[in-house]
Amino acid sequence: MQAAVRSSLRMAKDLKTLQDEYRQLNKSCFILGASGETGKELLKQIVQSQLYSKVTVIGRRQLNFEDEAYKDVNQEVVDFEKLDEFSSAFQGHDVGFCCLGTTKAKSGEAGFIRVDHDYVLKSAQLAKAGGCQHFNLESSKGANKGSSFLYLRVKGEVEAEVEELGFERFSIFRPAVLMVDRVESRPGEWFTRKLLGPFSYFFPTAYSVPMTTLVQAMLNNAVLPSDKKVDLLENKAIHTLGKMGEEKKK
């Protein structure tokens, strides 16, 4: 996949041209998990880039936006325990971005599986039924349905099950440790980020990735033409895609 990404970047048109062409398609999108750090930054960059003619946030509660730039963002409040009753929220979107996720420490084992597997899979099923063509999933480095570690096994299982739904395009992002100062307190994650700080300097693509780079990679990937039904983007590929176009800005 890494070689494929490099090849795509070499052959790709100028990023701005790709973005302009993408805007002309008047695509609509939805975001799941917009109250979390990745989803929040994703929404911010989508609003700023104006890549989509309609943007919808799907979540369990109404979000308050003070910035006028968010005035056209639509919100659908749903009960994730009864998603079938809210199928209309998933209808009519061309592209979906799923950034749902919790931790075992925060929600317990059952709660973690319910959010990271059940909610994600059900949302994907409803999105597919509602006409979504391109589904983007934030997963994790090391995701593997055969893993003995619960976190990685659940991530791998949901990847495989969403793939079976047969989206026209399914993009999986497997970031390593996300470098971000969360509003939510996660002491273990904070310690890991501090520990990896020096390593990230010398080996920037191996152990971590800035959250903003992940988000930019998701958006750059969306505008890149692809004839693949499944894009599997590991951490190094995320770095490459996330930095695409930076040279043009300099």
Side-chain angles (χ1 to χ4, degrees):
M1 184 64 205
Q2 314 291 348
V5 168
R6 288 194 295 270
S7 177
S8 295
L9 296 183
R10 284 196 298 267
M11 295 186 298
K13 301 176 184 177
D14 175 76
L15 179 60
K16 185 178 184 304
T17 300
L18 288 169
Q19 292 170 336
D20 289 341
E21 292 176 349
Y22 193 81
R23 290 187 188 97
Q24 291 172 16
L25 298 175
N26 290 318
K27 289 180 178 288
S28 60
C29 78
F30 70 82
I31 302 173
L32 289 158
S35 62
E37 297 299 332
T38 303
K40 190 185 305 179
E41 179 65 21
L42 178 63
L43 176 60
K44 175 184 174 182
Q45 290 199 29
I46 283 177
V47 168
Q48 290 178 343
S49 65
Q50 299 183 326
L51 284 175
Y52 297 94
S53 59
K54 181 180 179 181
V55 181
T56 301
V57 168
I58 301 176
R60 60 184 176 82
R61 60 183 174 82
Q62 192 86 3
L63 301 180
N64 295 317
F65 301 123
E66 297 181 0
D67 195 321
E68 183 69 11
Y70 293 83
K71 63 181 177 61
D72 294 325
V73 172
N74 300 284
Q75 295 200 59
E76 294 281 356
V77 177
V78 302
D79 183 346
F80 282 99
E81 295 294 329
K82 304 174 182 177
L83 270 184
D84 279 321
E85 298 178 13
F86 298 88
S87 60
S88 60
F90 293 87
Q91 294 177 357
H93 309 288
D94 300 300
V95 181
F97 295 94
C98 183
C99 303
L100 288 175
T102 186
T103 63
K104 181 180 175 182
K106 178 182 178 182
S107 304
E109 181 174 325
F112 164 69
I113 294 173
R114 189 162 63 249
V115 173
D116 284 59
H117 179 276
D118 300 350
Y119 291 178
V120 171
L121 180 58
K122 190 61 182 180
S123 296
Q125 291 170 338
L126 293 175
K128 179 67 167 60
C132 179
Q133 301 167 349
H134 185 188
F135 192 79
N136 297 268
L137 176 64
E138 179 187 3
S139 185
S140 172
K141 179 180 175 67
N144 184 342
K145 63 182 181 181
S147 176
S148 58
F149 294 98
L150 175 69
Y151 182 84
L152 299 179
R153 184 174 71 251
V154 169
K155 292 292 188 180
E157 288 173 347
V158 79
E159 285 181 3
E161 290 170 42
V162 172
E163 182 177 347
E164 290 176 358
L165 297 178
F167 283 97
E168 289 186 25
R169 187 179 179 190
F170 176 36
S171 298
I172 304 167
F173 297 84
R174 289 181 175 175
V177 175
L178 286 176
M179 304 301 283
V180 55
D181 291 325
R182 292 185 185 273
V183 175
E184 172 192 349
S185 177
R186 293 186 182 180
E189 192 175 270
W190 176 87
F191 178 76
T192 301
R193 290 200 308 271
K194 294 298 181 183
L195 183 65
L196 288 178
F199 292 97
S200 298
Y201 179 81
F202 293 104
F203 308 101
T205 66
Y207 305 106
S208 65
V209 61
M211 183 263 293
T212 52
T213 299
L214 167 62
V215 168
Q216 193 59 59
M218 296 173 84
L219 295 181
N220 288 347
N221 182 67
V223 304
L224 279 174
S226 176
D227 56 1
K228 291 186 175 182
K229 288 186 67 69
V230 180
D231 303 315
L232 180 55
L233 299 145
E234 299 286 358
N235 201 59
K236 188 174 182 180
I238 290 170
H239 273 272
T240 302
L241 274 173
K243 294 177 180 178
M244 179 182 176
E246 285 188 357
E247 291 302 317
K248 295 286 184 182
K249 296 177 184 178
K250 294 179 180 179

